[in-house]
Amino acid sequence: MLLDHAFGAARHERTAYRIRAGMSVIPEASFAALSGTLLLGTIQCWPIRFAGDDSTDVNMVQIGPVAVDPAHQQGGIGRMLTSHALDAAAEHDMADALTLIGDPEYYGRFFGFDASRTTRWRVPGPVERHRLLARGSAVPDGAGILGPRIHALV
């Protein structure tokens, strides 16, 4: 309900949802902010991969969506949730290749994300190029596509 309220009922058609289609959330890096039993906000992280045109294959984590109840926005809940998710990603050795679609000024200023290495990435849907952000030492800098992290069956 919170995500529908924040992003609309058609949110599943958005590019970020297409990138992680069929994946389950990473529970160790996904959180909710509560006040008693009242849900104030959530953040989710997802396993995705970058398949490079040069055969580069990088497991990545997609962060988001971050959703905060409108009555509690501008109080730092989204920032706290994002910090918590990034700390958890680092604790679980998942912080070397992170990506999200979001406001570059906000995510750059507070969390070090930028679009410098994403300019040649392709995604399954429309995206404002300057909003496709990444951070981490293993973030690829070449051409390729983001999609679900699907492991081959042996």
Side-chain angles (χ1 to χ4, degrees), residues 115-146:
S116 64
R117 292 179 279 176
T118 68
T119 58
R120 296 188 297 151
W121 293 6
R122 296 182 307 280
V123 294
V127 69
E128 295 175 73
R129 301 301 316 174
H130 69 284
R131 294 176 55 84
L132 182 58
L133 309 174
R135 86 169 213 187
S137 60
V139 171
D141 192 16
I145 189 163
L146 290 180

PDB file of all heavy atoms in Angstrom, residues 115-146:
ATOM      1  N   ALA A 115      26.495   9.151 -12.238  1.00  0.00           N
ATOM      2  CA  ALA A 115      26.185   8.531 -13.531  1.00  0.00           C
ATOM      3  C   ALA A 115      27.404   8.426 -14.440  1.00  0.00           C
ATOM      4  O   ALA A 115      27.265   8.123 -15.622  1.00  0.00           O
ATOM      5  CB  ALA A 115      25.081   9.333 -14.228  1.00  0.00           C
ATOM      6  N   SER A 116      28.597   8.625 -13.903  1.00  0.00           N
ATOM      7  CA  SER A 116      29.794   8.665 -14.742  1.00  0.00           C
ATOM      8  C   SER A 116      30.093   7.334 -15.443  1.00  0.00           C
ATOM      9  O   SER A 116      30.676   7.331 -16.520  1.00  0.00           O
ATOM     10  CB  SER A 116      31.007   9.106 -13.927  1.00  0.00           C
ATOM     11  OG  SER A 116      31.307   8.166 -12.912  1.00  0.00           O
ATOM     12  N   ARG A 117      29.711   6.213 -14.861  1.00  0.00           N
ATOM     13  CA  ARG A 117      30.010   4.913 -15.482  1.00  0.00           C
ATOM     14  C   ARG A 117      28.794   4.259 -16.115  1.00  0.00           C
ATOM     15  O   ARG A 117      28.884   3.142 -16.626  1.00  0.00           O
ATOM     16  CB  ARG A 117      30.632   3.979 -14.441  1.00  0.00           C
ATOM     17  CG  ARG A 117      32.028   4.455 -14.017  1.00  0.00           C
ATOM     18  CD  ARG A 117      32.637   3.577 -12.980  1.00  0.00           C
ATOM     19  NE  ARG A 117      32.097   3.948 -11.670  1.00  0.00           N
ATOM     20  CZ  ARG A 117      32.356   3.327 -10.538  1.00  0.00           C
ATOM     21  NH1 ARG A 117      33.140   2.268 -10.533  1.00  0.00           N
ATOM     22  NH2 ARG A 117      31.842   3.745  -9.400  1.00  0.00           N
ATOM     23  N   THR A 118      27.642   4.915 -16.083  1.00  0.00           N
ATOM     24  CA  THR A 118      26.414   4.290 -16.585  1.00  0.00           C
ATOM     25  C   THR A 118      25.986   4.780 -17.960  1.00  0.00           C
ATOM     26  O   THR A 118      24.942   4.366 -18.456  1.00  0.00           O
ATOM     27  CB  THR A 118      25.251   4.527 -15.589  1.00  0.00           C
ATOM     28  OG1 THR A 118      24.912   5.918 -15.582  1.00  0.00           O
ATOM     29  CG2 THR A 118      25.608   4.069 -14.188  1.00  0.00           C
ATOM     30  N   THR A 119      26.776   5.633 -18.567  1.00  0.00           N
ATOM     31  CA  THR A 119      26.345   6.288 -19.807  1.00  0.00           C
ATOM     32  C   THR A 119      26.082   5.320 -20.955  1.00  0.00           C
ATOM     33  O   THR A 119      25.283   5.622 -21.833  1.00  0.00           O
ATOM     34  CB  THR A 119      27.372   7.344 -20.257  1.00  0.00           C
ATOM     35  OG1 THR A 119      28.636   6.711 -20.437  1.00  0.00           O
ATOM     36  CG2 THR A 119      27.490   8.461 -19.230  1.00  0.00           C
ATOM     37  N   ARG A 120      26.737   4.152 -20.944  1.00  0.00           N
ATOM     38  CA  ARG A 120      26.538   3.194 -22.040  1.00  0.00           C
ATOM     39  C   ARG A 120      25.726   1.971 -21.616  1.00  0.00           C
ATOM     40  O   ARG A 120      25.636   1.002 -22.365  1.00  0.00           O
ATOM     41  CB  ARG A 120      27.898   2.789 -22.626  1.00  0.00           C
ATOM     42  CG  ARG A 120      28.596   4.003 -23.249  1.00  0.00           C
ATOM     43  CD  ARG A 120      29.845   3.661 -24.007  1.00  0.00           C
ATOM     44  NE  ARG A 120      30.863   3.091 -23.124  1.00  0.00           N
ATOM     45  CZ  ARG A 120      31.783   2.216 -23.515  1.00  0.00           C
ATOM     46  NH1 ARG A 120      31.826   1.805 -24.748  1.00  0.00           N
ATOM     47  NH2 ARG A 120      32.679   1.770 -22.657  1.00  0.00           N
ATOM     48  N   TRP A 121      25.134   2.047 -20.443  1.00  0.00           N
ATOM     49  CA  TRP A 121      24.286   0.947 -19.994  1.00  0.00           C
ATOM     50  C   TRP A 121      22.931   1.023 -20.679  1.00  0.00           C
ATOM     51  O   TRP A 121      22.390   2.090 -20.925  1.00  0.00           O
ATOM     52  CB  TRP A 121      24.055   1.027 -18.494  1.00  0.00           C
ATOM     53  CG  TRP A 121      25.251   0.788 -17.638  1.00  0.00           C
ATOM     54  CD1 TRP A 121      26.551   0.623 -18.019  1.00  0.00           C
ATOM     55  CD2 TRP A 121      25.245   0.708 -16.212  1.00  0.00           C
ATOM     56  NE1 TRP A 121      27.353   0.445 -16.926  1.00  0.00           N
ATOM     57  CE2 TRP A 121      26.574   0.496 -15.797  1.00  0.00           C
ATOM     58  CE3 TRP A 121      24.255   0.809 -15.253  1.00  0.00           C
ATOM     59  CZ2 TRP A 121      26.931   0.370 -14.457  1.00  0.00           C
ATOM     60  CZ3 TRP A 121      24.596   0.688 -13.924  1.00  0.00           C
ATOM     61  CH2 TRP A 121      25.923   0.458 -13.533  1.00  0.00           C
ATOM     62  N   ARG A 122      22.376  -0.144 -20.961  1.00  0.00           N
ATOM     63  CA  ARG A 122      21.024  -0.233 -21.493  1.00  0.00           C
ATOM     64  C   ARG A 122      20.127  -0.837 -20.409  1.00  0.00           C
ATOM     65  O   ARG A 122      20.585  -1.662 -19.613  1.00  0.00           O
ATOM     66  CB  ARG A 122      20.993  -1.095 -22.757  1.00  0.00           C
ATOM     67  CG  ARG A 122      21.800  -0.483 -23.899  1.00  0.00           C
ATOM     68  CD  ARG A 122      21.719  -1.309 -25.172  1.00  0.00           C
ATOM     69  NE  ARG A 122      22.065  -2.716 -25.019  1.00  0.00           N
ATOM     70  CZ  ARG A 122      23.301  -3.209 -24.963  1.00  0.00           C
ATOM     71  NH1 ARG A 122      24.353  -2.407 -25.024  1.00  0.00           N
ATOM     72  NH2 ARG A 122      23.501  -4.508 -24.840  1.00  0.00           N
ATOM     73  N   VAL A 123      18.892  -0.419 -20.400  1.00  0.00           N
ATOM     74  CA  VAL A 123      17.919  -0.920 -19.438  1.00  0.00           C
ATOM     75  C   VAL A 123      16.632  -1.266 -20.188  1.00  0.00           C
ATOM     76  O   VAL A 123      16.391  -0.731 -21.267  1.00  0.00           O
ATOM     77  CB  VAL A 123      17.644   0.111 -18.319  1.00  0.00           C
ATOM     78  CG1 VAL A 123      18.892   0.336 -17.471  1.00  0.00           C
ATOM     79  CG2 VAL A 123      17.149   1.424 -18.871  1.00  0.00           C
ATOM     80  N   PRO A 124      15.818  -2.162 -19.619  1.00  0.00           N
ATOM     81  CA  PRO A 124      14.604  -2.596 -20.311  1.00  0.00           C
ATOM     82  C   PRO A 124      13.438  -1.618 -20.137  1.00  0.00           C
ATOM     83  O   PRO A 124      12.422  -1.925 -19.539  1.00  0.00           O
ATOM     84  CB  PRO A 124      14.300  -3.937 -19.646  1.00  0.00           C
ATOM     85  CG  PRO A 124      14.854  -3.795 -18.273  1.00  0.00           C
ATOM     86  CD  PRO A 124      16.071  -2.936 -18.408  1.00  0.00           C
ATOM     87  N   GLY A 125      13.611  -0.439 -20.654  1.00  0.00           N
ATOM     88  CA  GLY A 125      12.567   0.576 -20.571  1.00  0.00           C
ATOM     89  C   GLY A 125      13.183   1.954 -20.587  1.00  0.00           C
ATOM     90  O   GLY A 125      14.407   2.115 -20.581  1.00  0.00           O
ATOM     91  N   PRO A 126      12.346   2.958 -20.572  1.00  0.00           N
ATOM     92  CA  PRO A 126      12.858   4.326 -20.616  1.00  0.00           C
ATOM     93  C   PRO A 126      13.527   4.725 -19.310  1.00  0.00           C
ATOM     94  O   PRO A 126      13.142   4.261 -18.233  1.00  0.00           O
ATOM     95  CB  PRO A 126      11.598   5.168 -20.862  1.00  0.00           C
ATOM     96  CG  PRO A 126      10.473   4.333 -20.341  1.00  0.00           C
ATOM     97  CD  PRO A 126      10.876   2.908 -20.538  1.00  0.00           C
ATOM     98  N   VAL A 127      14.545   5.566 -19.419  1.00  0.00           N
ATOM     99  CA  VAL A 127      15.221   6.095 -18.236  1.00  0.00           C
ATOM    100  C   VAL A 127      15.828   7.442 -18.600  1.00  0.00           C
ATOM    101  O   VAL A 127      16.290   7.639 -19.722  1.00  0.00           O
ATOM    102  CB  VAL A 127      16.314   5.127 -17.711  1.00  0.00           C
ATOM    103  CG1 VAL A 127      17.490   5.048 -18.676  1.00  0.00           C
ATOM    104  CG2 VAL A 127      16.779   5.510 -16.328  1.00  0.00           C
ATOM    105  N   GLU A 128      15.787   8.361 -17.653  1.00  0.00           N
ATOM    106  CA  GLU A 128      16.515   9.609 -17.817  1.00  0.00           C
ATOM    107  C   GLU A 128      17.967   9.282 -17.474  1.00  0.00           C
ATOM    108  O   GLU A 128      18.277   8.908 -16.346  1.00  0.00           O
ATOM    109  CB  GLU A 128      15.959  10.681 -16.878  1.00  0.00           C
ATOM    110  CG  GLU A 128      14.523  11.066 -17.197  1.00  0.00           C
ATOM    111  CD  GLU A 128      13.973  12.023 -16.171  1.00  0.00           C
ATOM    112  OE1 GLU A 128      14.397  13.200 -16.198  1.00  0.00           O
ATOM    113  OE2 GLU A 128      13.152  11.598 -15.349  1.00  0.00           O
ATOM    114  N   ARG A 129      18.864   9.396 -18.450  1.00  0.00           N
ATOM    115  CA  ARG A 129      20.249   8.925 -18.321  1.00  0.00           C
ATOM    116  C   ARG A 129      20.946   9.471 -17.074  1.00  0.00           C
ATOM    117  O   ARG A 129      21.695   8.754 -16.423  1.00  0.00           O
ATOM    118  CB  ARG A 129      21.071   9.300 -19.561  1.00  0.00           C
ATOM    119  CG  ARG A 129      20.567   8.769 -20.865  1.00  0.00           C
ATOM    120  CD  ARG A 129      20.459   7.290 -21.008  1.00  0.00           C
ATOM    121  NE  ARG A 129      21.597   6.553 -20.500  1.00  0.00           N
ATOM    122  CZ  ARG A 129      21.644   5.227 -20.437  1.00  0.00           C
ATOM    123  NH1 ARG A 129      20.643   4.503 -20.858  1.00  0.00           N
ATOM    124  NH2 ARG A 129      22.685   4.614 -19.950  1.00  0.00           N
ATOM    125  N   HIS A 130      20.701  10.706 -16.729  1.00  0.00           N
ATOM    126  CA  HIS A 130      21.389  11.315 -15.591  1.00  0.00           C
ATOM    127  C   HIS A 130      20.893  10.749 -14.255  1.00  0.00           C
ATOM    128  O   HIS A 130      21.516  10.962 -13.227  1.00  0.00           O
ATOM    129  CB  HIS A 130      21.243  12.839 -15.616  1.00  0.00           C
ATOM    130  CG  HIS A 130      19.858  13.329 -15.353  1.00  0.00           C
ATOM    131  ND1 HIS A 130      18.857  13.260 -16.298  1.00  0.00           N
ATOM    132  CD2 HIS A 130      19.315  13.874 -14.242  1.00  0.00           C
ATOM    133  CE1 HIS A 130      17.749  13.747 -15.777  1.00  0.00           C
ATOM    134  NE2 HIS A 130      17.985  14.128 -14.532  1.00  0.00           N
ATOM    135  N   ARG A 131      19.784   9.990 -14.284  1.00  0.00           N
ATOM    136  CA  ARG A 131      19.220   9.407 -13.057  1.00  0.00           C
ATOM    137  C   ARG A 131      19.637   7.945 -12.853  1.00  0.00           C
ATOM    138  O   ARG A 131      19.341   7.360 -11.832  1.00  0.00           O
ATOM    139  CB  ARG A 131      17.699   9.517 -13.080  1.00  0.00           C
ATOM    140  CG  ARG A 131      17.213  10.962 -13.029  1.00  0.00           C
ATOM    141  CD  ARG A 131      15.699  11.072 -13.162  1.00  0.00           C
ATOM    142  NE  ARG A 131      14.988  10.289 -12.177  1.00  0.00           N
ATOM    143  CZ  ARG A 131      14.703  10.687 -10.929  1.00  0.00           C
ATOM    144  NH1 ARG A 131      15.103  11.875 -10.513  1.00  0.00           N
ATOM    145  NH2 ARG A 131      14.030   9.902 -10.110  1.00  0.00           N
ATOM    146  N   LEU A 132      20.326   7.354 -13.822  1.00  0.00           N
ATOM    147  CA  LEU A 132      20.827   5.985 -13.702  1.00  0.00           C
ATOM    148  C   LEU A 132      22.194   6.078 -13.027  1.00  0.00           C
ATOM    149  O   LEU A 132      23.192   6.446 -13.653  1.00  0.00           O
ATOM    150  CB  LEU A 132      20.916   5.315 -15.071  1.00  0.00           C
ATOM    151  CG  LEU A 132      21.369   3.865 -15.104  1.00  0.00           C
ATOM    152  CD1 LEU A 132      20.467   2.971 -14.258  1.00  0.00           C
ATOM    153  CD2 LEU A 132      21.400   3.368 -16.543  1.00  0.00           C
ATOM    154  N   LEU A 133      22.217   5.758 -11.743  1.00  0.00           N
ATOM    155  CA  LEU A 133      23.384   6.036 -10.898  1.00  0.00           C
ATOM    156  C   LEU A 133      24.031   4.756 -10.403  1.00  0.00           C
ATOM    157  O   LEU A 133      23.382   3.713 -10.334  1.00  0.00           O
ATOM    158  CB  LEU A 133      22.948   6.879  -9.694  1.00  0.00           C
ATOM    159  CG  LEU A 133      22.141   8.132 -10.009  1.00  0.00           C
ATOM    160  CD1 LEU A 133      21.654   8.790  -8.721  1.00  0.00           C
ATOM    161  CD2 LEU A 133      22.965   9.107 -10.839  1.00  0.00           C
ATOM    162  N   ALA A 134      25.296   4.849 -10.037  1.00  0.00           N
ATOM    163  CA  ALA A 134      26.014   3.689  -9.511  1.00  0.00           C
ATOM    164  C   ALA A 134      27.112   4.153  -8.556  1.00  0.00           C
ATOM    165  O   ALA A 134      27.525   5.309  -8.572  1.00  0.00           O
ATOM    166  CB  ALA A 134      26.622   2.883 -10.656  1.00  0.00           C
ATOM    167  N   ARG A 135      27.562   3.202  -7.740  1.00  0.00           N
ATOM    168  CA  ARG A 135      28.742   3.421  -6.890  1.00  0.00           C
ATOM    169  C   ARG A 135      29.340   2.072  -6.559  1.00  0.00           C
ATOM    170  O   ARG A 135      28.650   1.060  -6.533  1.00  0.00           O
ATOM    171  CB  ARG A 135      28.415   4.224  -5.646  1.00  0.00           C
ATOM    172  CG  ARG A 135      27.923   3.423  -4.483  1.00  0.00           C
ATOM    173  CD  ARG A 135      27.862   4.245  -3.208  1.00  0.00           C
ATOM    174  NE  ARG A 135      28.151   3.390  -2.066  1.00  0.00           N
ATOM    175  CZ  ARG A 135      28.046   3.764  -0.829  1.00  0.00           C
ATOM    176  NH1 ARG A 135      27.673   4.987  -0.519  1.00  0.00           N
ATOM    177  NH2 ARG A 135      28.327   2.933   0.140  1.00  0.00           N
ATOM    178  N   GLY A 136      30.649   2.069  -6.328  1.00  0.00           N
ATOM    179  CA  GLY A 136      31.346   0.854  -5.942  1.00  0.00           C
ATOM    180  C   GLY A 136      32.526   0.568  -6.841  1.00  0.00           C
ATOM    181  O   GLY A 136      32.571   0.977  -8.000  1.00  0.00           O
ATOM    182  N   SER A 137      33.486  -0.163  -6.293  1.00  0.00           N
ATOM    183  CA  SER A 137      34.731  -0.433  -7.012  1.00  0.00           C
ATOM    184  C   SER A 137      34.563  -1.385  -8.195  1.00  0.00           C
ATOM    185  O   SER A 137      35.390  -1.387  -9.100  1.00  0.00           O
ATOM    186  CB  SER A 137      35.761  -1.008  -6.038  1.00  0.00           C
ATOM    187  OG  SER A 137      35.278  -2.210  -5.461  1.00  0.00           O
ATOM    188  N   ALA A 138      33.493  -2.196  -8.208  1.00  0.00           N
ATOM    189  CA  ALA A 138      33.303  -3.164  -9.296  1.00  0.00           C
ATOM    190  C   ALA A 138      32.255  -2.719 -10.317  1.00  0.00           C
ATOM    191  O   ALA A 138      31.860  -3.500 -11.181  1.00  0.00           O
ATOM    192  CB  ALA A 138      32.916  -4.521  -8.714  1.00  0.00           C
ATOM    193  N   VAL A 139      31.807  -1.475 -10.233  1.00  0.00           N
ATOM    194  CA  VAL A 139      30.806  -0.977 -11.180  1.00  0.00           C
ATOM    195  C   VAL A 139      31.427  -0.940 -12.574  1.00  0.00           C
ATOM    196  O   VAL A 139      32.470  -0.309 -12.775  1.00  0.00           O
ATOM    197  CB  VAL A 139      30.300   0.421 -10.779  1.00  0.00           C
ATOM    198  CG1 VAL A 139      29.434   1.020 -11.876  1.00  0.00           C
ATOM    199  CG2 VAL A 139      29.534   0.350  -9.459  1.00  0.00           C
ATOM    200  N   PRO A 140      30.807  -1.614 -13.535  1.00  0.00           N
ATOM    201  CA  PRO A 140      31.357  -1.628 -14.890  1.00  0.00           C
ATOM    202  C   PRO A 140      31.223  -0.264 -15.568  1.00  0.00           C
ATOM    203  O   PRO A 140      30.302   0.491 -15.292  1.00  0.00           O
ATOM    204  CB  PRO A 140      30.524  -2.690 -15.603  1.00  0.00           C
ATOM    205  CG  PRO A 140      29.275  -2.819 -14.803  1.00  0.00           C
ATOM    206  CD  PRO A 140      29.602  -2.438 -13.405  1.00  0.00           C
ATOM    207  N   ASP A 141      32.150  -0.002 -16.475  1.00  0.00           N
ATOM    208  CA  ASP A 141      32.194   1.281 -17.168  1.00  0.00           C
ATOM    209  C   ASP A 141      31.982   1.112 -18.665  1.00  0.00           C
ATOM    210  O   ASP A 141      32.227   2.033 -19.426  1.00  0.00           O
ATOM    211  CB  ASP A 141      33.553   1.943 -16.897  1.00  0.00           C
ATOM    212  CG  ASP A 141      33.590   3.397 -17.331  1.00  0.00           C
ATOM    213  OD1 ASP A 141      32.522   3.978 -17.561  1.00  0.00           O
ATOM    214  OD2 ASP A 141      34.697   3.943 -17.440  1.00  0.00           O
ATOM    215  N   GLY A 142      31.509  -0.026 -19.096  1.00  0.00           N
ATOM    216  CA  GLY A 142      31.350  -0.271 -20.515  1.00  0.00           C
ATOM    217  C   GLY A 142      29.901  -0.371 -20.928  1.00  0.00           C
ATOM    218  O   GLY A 142      28.988  -0.107 -20.146  1.00  0.00           O
ATOM    219  N   ALA A 143      29.716  -0.784 -22.162  1.00  0.00           N
ATOM    220  CA  ALA A 143      28.371  -0.965 -22.698  1.00  0.00           C
ATOM    221  C   ALA A 143      27.840  -2.329 -22.274  1.00  0.00           C
ATOM    222  O   ALA A 143      28.579  -3.312 -22.215  1.00  0.00           O
ATOM    223  CB  ALA A 143      28.401  -0.858 -24.220  1.00  0.00           C
ATOM    224  N   GLY A 144      26.564  -2.364 -21.974  1.00  0.00           N
ATOM    225  CA  GLY A 144      25.922  -3.612 -21.585  1.00  0.00           C
ATOM    226  C   GLY A 144      24.520  -3.344 -21.095  1.00  0.00           C
ATOM    227  O   GLY A 144      24.029  -2.214 -21.151  1.00  0.00           O
ATOM    228  N   ILE A 145      23.878  -4.391 -20.592  1.00  0.00           N
ATOM    229  CA  ILE A 145      22.489  -4.272 -20.176  1.00  0.00           C
ATOM    230  C   ILE A 145      22.317  -4.726 -18.728  1.00  0.00           C
ATOM    231  O   ILE A 145      22.967  -5.669 -18.277  1.00  0.00           O
ATOM    232  CB  ILE A 145      21.554  -5.081 -21.114  1.00  0.00           C
ATOM    233  CG1 ILE A 145      20.092  -4.778 -20.803  1.00  0.00           C
ATOM    234  CG2 ILE A 145      21.854  -6.570 -21.055  1.00  0.00           C
ATOM    235  CD1 ILE A 145      19.137  -5.189 -21.908  1.00  0.00           C
ATOM    236  N   LEU A 146      21.457  -4.031 -18.003  1.00  0.00           N
ATOM    237  CA  LEU A 146      21.073  -4.426 -16.657  1.00  0.00           C
ATOM    238  C   LEU A 146      19.843  -5.306 -16.740  1.00  0.00           C
ATOM    239  O   LEU A 146      18.927  -5.042 -17.500  1.00  0.00           O
ATOM    240  CB  LEU A 146      20.729  -3.200 -15.800  1.00  0.00           C
ATOM    241  CG  LEU A 146      21.856  -2.270 -15.400  1.00  0.00           C
ATOM    242  CD1 LEU A 146      21.297  -1.125 -14.560  1.00  0.00           C
ATOM    243  CD2 LEU A 146      22.935  -3.002 -14.635  1.00  0.00           C
TER     244      LEU A 146
END
